[in-house]
Amino acid sequence: MYLKFKESFKYLFEDIYIDKKDGRLVFDYNKRTKDFQSSQLGKGNFSPRISKQKNLFHTPIYSIYQLSKTSGSEILRTIKKKSNISIKQNDYNSFLNRSAIYITAKLLKNVDVIVTPQTSSFLLKDILDKITAKRPDIKIIHEAFKKLPIDQIKINYDDYNVGPSVIKRMDKLISNAKEQGFIEIKNVPKQFLSYISNVLGINELKILPKYLNNQNVVLFDDLLGSGFTMKEMIINLKTYSPKSLKGITLFKT
């Protein structure tokens, strides 16, 4: 099996592939063949990619790498170390270092605070450690959001022309969520996301108003999919009246 970086990350022309010999994911940032050139991350050879949504709730969202629909999800799981495929530590470090250089140079000018959502992956923390080494003046707030209890989630049927079949499926979804105390957005069919709100809330133990008020804030996440989670977090952050707010994600599907 052989996957090329160009296939999965359309704006970064480097090689990433699964080595046939040991089954590991390889990040080859020095690949120079007839078809591939080094992107020279952070050296001004290309600009960050703005997501197709342009903005969410009047907030610009920047996504660095575009994932393909075919092999992208497997590569992302591998980078997040949630796959049966492993990645060599030096390749993982190279990915972190070069991405951090690029993000810092292109997207973090005049930024005061970076906040992140709750995550089970170490990817965000690892790359922010690299960014902090380059910009120790930026305040990092990890896991600034929490999942709200199921009884606080709002289902906005009145705003849509919703049929009985949709209501039945949503009721089943909410019933299942009550068993675990919160709803997993990744398990919600995309066509139902517009009916749901108030899923995430600010973690008051992590954030004080003075951290965000009149500050230049970046909301940093690993993946932009439907944009639902990002929009929920943006709505929460705007209540703290930041001077400016933008979102950055490593990947976009």
Side-chain angles (χ1 to χ4, degrees), residues 83-149:
S83 170
N84 292 330
I85 301 169
S86 62
I87 182 171
K88 294 179 180 178
Q89 191 61 41
N90 63 325
D91 287 337
Y92 180 67
N93 287 335
S94 295
F95 174 80
L96 295 176
N97 286 329
R98 292 166 67 78
S99 297
I101 289 170
Y102 182 53
I103 292 169
T104 303
K106 297 292 186 178
L107 295 172
L108 296 184
K109 294 178 181 178
N110 302 316
V111 168
D112 302 305
V113 183
I114 296 176
V115 298
T116 73
Q118 184 178 5
T119 177
S120 59
S121 167
F122 288 99
L123 178 58
L124 285 184
K125 184 180 183 303
D126 287 345
I127 197 165
L128 283 171
D129 285 345
K130 303 292 185 183
I131 289 173
T132 299
K134 303 176 187 303
R135 286 290 307 276
D137 57 303
I138 297 178
K139 182 177 181 62
I140 309 293
I141 305 176
H142 294 282
E143 300 191 338
F145 301 88
K146 58 184 178 182
K147 297 175 182 178
L148 295 178

Side-chain angles (χ1 to χ4, degrees), residues 7-23:
E7 296 172 358
S8 294
F9 302 88
K10 297 177 182 177
Y11 292 85
L12 185 60
F13 301 114
E14 299 182 340
D15 246 359
I16 191 166
Y17 60 92
I18 297 175
D19 192 302
K20 294 179 179 179
K21 293 181 179 179
D22 59 16

Side-chain angles (χ1 to χ4, degrees), residues 23-231:
R24 290 183 175 181
L25 188 74
V26 178
F27 177 66
D28 186 354
Y29 55 88
N30 289 316
K31 188 71 175 181
R32 292 180 181 274
T33 67
K34 181 179 179 181
D35 299 321
F36 293 90
Q37 298 179 17
S38 169
S39 65
Q40 295 187 343
L41 272 177
K43 297 183 180 179
N45 285 11
F46 64 97
S47 299
R49 177 184 185 279
I50 299 177
S51 69
K52 290 182 180 179
Q53 279 117 326
K54 301 296 184 183
N55 63 71
L56 291 172
F57 206 67
H58 309 293
T59 300
I61 310 297
Y62 298 86
S63 298
I64 309 305
Y65 308 128
Q66 173 73 44
L67 292 175
S68 73
K69 293 181 180 179
T70 53
S71 57
S73 60
E74 185 62 40
I75 288 178
L76 176 57
R77 285 194 299 271
T78 301
I79 291 173
K80 294 174 73 172
K81 300 182 180 180
K82 292 186 174 182
S83 170
N84 292 330
I85 301 169
S86 62
I87 182 171
K88 294 179 180 178
Q89 191 61 41
N90 63 325
D91 287 337
Y92 180 67
N93 287 335
S94 295
F95 174 80
L96 295 176
N97 286 329
R98 292 166 67 78
S99 297
I101 289 170
Y102 182 53
I103 292 169
T104 303
K106 297 292 186 178
L107 295 172
L108 296 184
K109 294 178 181 178
N110 302 316
V111 168
D112 302 305
V113 183
I114 296 176
V115 298
T116 73
Q118 184 178 5
T119 177
S120 59
S121 167
F122 288 99
L123 178 58
L124 285 184
K125 184 180 183 303
D126 287 345
I127 197 165
L128 283 171
D129 285 345
K130 303 292 185 183
I131 289 173
T132 299
K134 303 176 187 303
R135 286 290 307 276
D137 57 303
I138 297 178
K139 182 177 181 62
I140 309 293
I141 305 176
H142 294 282
E143 300 191 338
F145 301 88
K146 58 184 178 182
K147 297 175 182 178
L148 295 178
I150 192 68
D151 58 359
Q152 294 187 35
I153 293 173
K154 298 177 181 178
I155 307 297
N156 308 308
Y157 291 140
D158 295 339
D159 297 334
Y160 302 91
N161 183 18
V162 180
S165 62
V166 171
I167 293 176
K168 183 177 180 180
R169 291 184 65 183
M170 284 298 297
D171 286 345
K172 182 178 180 181
L173 183 70
I174 295 300
S175 177
N176 292 337
K178 285 181 178 179
E179 295 180 4
Q180 59 185 7
F182 56 87
I183 193 167
E184 285 283 3
I185 291 303
K186 64 182 179 181
N187 295 331
V188 179
K190 290 183 179 180
Q191 65 267 32
F192 295 158
L193 286 175
S194 57
Y195 308 143
I196 304 175
S197 63
N198 211 43
V199 172
L200 294 174
I202 290 285
N203 187 341
E204 295 86 359
L205 297 177
K206 297 277 188 176
I207 290 186
L208 298 177
K210 66 180 181 180
Y211 294 162
L212 303 182
N213 181 254
N214 202 35
Q215 299 295 299
N216 297 306
V217 180
V218 162
L219 174 55
F220 187 48
D221 203 355
D222 52 13
L223 178 67
L224 180 67
S226 67
F228 175 87
T229 302
M230 179 68 73
K231 186 175 181 179

